[in-house]
Amino acid sequence: MSTVSVRVDAGLFSEAASIGKAEYRSAAQQINYWATLGKNALANPDLPIEFIREILIAKEMPAEPFEFREE
């Protein structure tokens, strides 16, 4: 993943650092998370933000193989 430098308000960065620490993320990771969550919320206005958040969390979980068996 490539990165670019972006100017961010100092207050937003400070809040991201604080909240990110609680979520085990860096400030940059927290801002990226907020941006991803917001982007998906805007793309899906009919879905509750918590539902979108849970989907993003589930996408990061390791997948277990599924085996279909007919009985």
Side-chain angles (χ1 to χ4, degrees), residues 8-59:
V8 176
D9 180 75
L12 177 64
F13 188 85
S14 177
E15 187 177 358
S18 178
I19 293 173
K21 186 175 181 180
E23 297 284 334
Y24 301 100
R25 297 184 186 108
S26 68
Q29 289 170 326
Q30 185 64 35
I31 291 170
N32 188 53
Y33 172 73
W34 283 339
T36 302
L37 186 59
K39 177 182 165 189
N40 283 285
L42 288 171
N44 300 282
D46 53 322
L47 297 177
I49 193 79
E50 280 300 314
F51 183 74
I52 295 169
R53 181 179 169 274
E54 294 297 325
I55 290 171
L56 292 174
I57 290 169
K59 284 179 65 174

Side-chain angles (χ1 to χ4, degrees), residues 62-68:
E64 294 184 21
F66 176 77
E67 189 176 310
F68 181 75

